[in-house]
Amino acid sequence: MVAFVKWYVSSLNASYSSRVPKGEWEKKPYNPVLGEQFFMSWGDDESTKVIIEQVSHHPPLTGFYIKHAPSGIALNGHTGQKTRFSTTSLICDQVGQSVLVLPTDESYLLTSPSLTVHGIWYAAPYIELTGSSYVQSTTGLYATFEFSSRGWISGERNSFKCYIRKNGAPKEYVYKIEGQWSGKSTITPYGSKKSEPFLDVTSLTPASKHVAELDAQGDMESRKVWQKVSDAIRQGDTTTASAEKSKIENQKRAELAERTQANTDWKPAFFTWQDPEPKVQAMQRMLQSAVKNKYDPATNGNWVYNAPQ
């Protein structure tokens, strides 16, 4: 569990902090079209494969599958966003869950915190994590995360506090981990007044990312779908960018109309909805018995990756 928490914290920095170049602000992403796909690999040996597909448009949901072939570790899940405004900020509640499975079949259920986007009204948007997230393991340990835009004592941005506990003994924690998910954090065993360094994400070197060249990509891959829009944006041609974006959206509306008229359903190429999904449901029950009404999942299901036969 400690190793999983360390990976999770490092992934938060990679997802929400280090990906934005220093001195720049968040950019509004494209709205993925139904069936849009993205493939990549990580590492110099490209041994970690990533498969992503937009499995639903209303509501918007993305299925993903990541596997490190040499170790056999795999992560399968789905994510979506429900947005709302709060005074001058945009809050995105992340829905969905993911399951990491080790070769031993030891598994971890993971949920995600909310995203708060500040600075929208003065064209300098940036993201902070707020609220809670949970990790439940089949080993009988679970972790609760609380995120704050400012530290409880230091006032530092991107602060978090995590407690690792045993199922069945929720009052006493095994470890307390706290600090900045974009910086340094410490770990303290239960009953100890001495903290030890846990993780310094600024000292980590991200693995290299590999994506196929455009001419080798399929028609539904993200960079191919949005190629003309992206080219126009880079050239500062907003008129062409808007026109090309409208072409994509109109095409998808026409495809929907055709399916409706033919009374046919669209099906993802790489994922299948399974509800309940046994691993998800089992670990949800373990977590709910520990944290009670603090955790109320919207579904017991998951978009399961269709492994090639």
Side-chain angles (χ1 to χ4, degrees):
M1 176 63 84
V2 173
F4 183 91
V5 169
K6 184 172 289 188
W7 167 79
Y8 176 51
V9 173
S10 70
S11 74
L12 294 176
N13 178 65
S15 299
Y16 306 115
S17 181
S18 63
R19 65 184 177 84
V20 180
K22 189 174 182 179
E24 295 187 18
W25 303 102
E26 290 286 345
K27 305 293 193 300
K28 182 184 181 300
Y30 298 133
N31 293 324
V33 299
L34 185 65
E36 185 174 331
Q37 302 162 2
F38 185 76
F39 307 101
M40 60 166 279
S41 56
W42 267 317
D44 294 336
D45 60 356
E46 302 188 40
S47 58
T48 301
K49 305 296 183 182
V50 180
I51 299 171
I52 302 172
E53 183 177 16
Q54 191 70 8
V55 295
S56 173
H57 191 62
H58 294 295
L61 291 172
T62 305
F64 56 88
Y65 181 78
I66 305 172
K67 184 170 184 178
H68 180 249
S71 67
I73 298 174
L75 178 72
N76 188 180
H78 69 281
T79 183
Q81 294 78 36
K82 292 183 177 180
T83 58
R84 53 193 169 91
F85 282 95
S86 175
T87 59
T88 60
S89 302
L90 174 68
I91 300 175
C92 298
D93 296 318
Q94 300 193 87
V95 299
Q97 56 245 338
S98 55
V99 175
L100 183 139
V101 181
L102 303 182
T104 59
D105 208 38
E106 180 180 321
S107 303
Y108 294 80
L109 174 74
L110 173 65
T111 70
S112 299
S114 296
L115 311 177
T116 301
V117 185
H118 299 289
I120 296 175
W121 307 119
Y122 47 89
Y126 64 94
I127 286 177
E128 289 184 334
L129 304 184
T130 55
S132 306
S133 69
Y134 300 94
V135 179
Q136 175 63 60
S137 171
T138 53
T139 62
L141 293 172
Y142 71 96
T144 58
F145 282 83
E146 293 293 335
F147 296 90
S148 173
S149 58
R150 298 289 175 180
W152 287 267
I153 298 176
S154 64
E156 295 177 319
R157 284 178 54 188
N158 301 337
S159 296
F160 79 94
K161 186 177 290 186
C162 167
Y163 289 97
I164 297 176
R165 293 182 169 93
K166 295 179 180 179
N167 290 91
K171 293 185 178 180
E172 296 181 358
Y173 62 84
V174 181
Y175 292 105
K176 177 176 68 174
I177 302 166
E178 58 186 336
Q180 288 180 285
W181 53 263
S182 59
K184 297 180 179 180
S185 52
T186 61
I187 183 170
T188 308
Y190 178 75
S192 174
K193 295 182 179 180
K194 184 179 180 181
S195 298
E196 300 289 342
F198 179 66
L199 180 63
D200 179 4
V201 297
T202 62
S203 67
L204 303 179
T205 301
S208 55
K209 181 175 70 174
H210 305 273
V211 181
E213 297 294 331
L214 272 172
D215 58 5
Q217 293 187 15
D219 290 341
M220 289 307 299
E221 293 191 51
S222 295
R223 296 185 181 184
K224 182 65 75 66
V225 170
W226 299 100
Q227 180 182 3
K228 293 180 179 179
V229 179
S230 298
D231 289 344
I233 290 174
R234 294 189 188 101
Q235 295 166 10
D237 187 350
T238 56
T239 300
T240 299
S242 179
E244 293 296 337
K245 179 174 178 290
S246 293
K247 288 180 182 179
I248 296 170
E249 293 169 342
N250 290 335
Q251 178 187 347
K252 292 303 169 182
R253 292 189 186 101
E255 292 174 1
L256 174 60
E258 290 177 4
R259 291 195 300 272
T260 301
Q261 186 174 6
N263 195 29
T264 58
D265 294 325
W266 177 86
K267 293 184 179 180
F270 297 97
F271 296 88
T272 300
W273 177 246
Q274 187 173 348
D275 188 5
E277 198 285 317
K279 289 183 183 294
V280 168
Q281 188 176 52
M283 287 186 283
Q284 283 180 337
R285 287 173 175 170
M286 293 174 69
L287 184 58
Q288 286 176 309
S289 68
V291 300
K292 307 303 180 186
N293 59 359
K294 293 181 181 179
Y295 173 62
D296 185 23
T299 175
N300 305 124
N302 199 11
W303 281 96
V304 178
Y305 173 63
N306 301 323
Q309 300 298 318

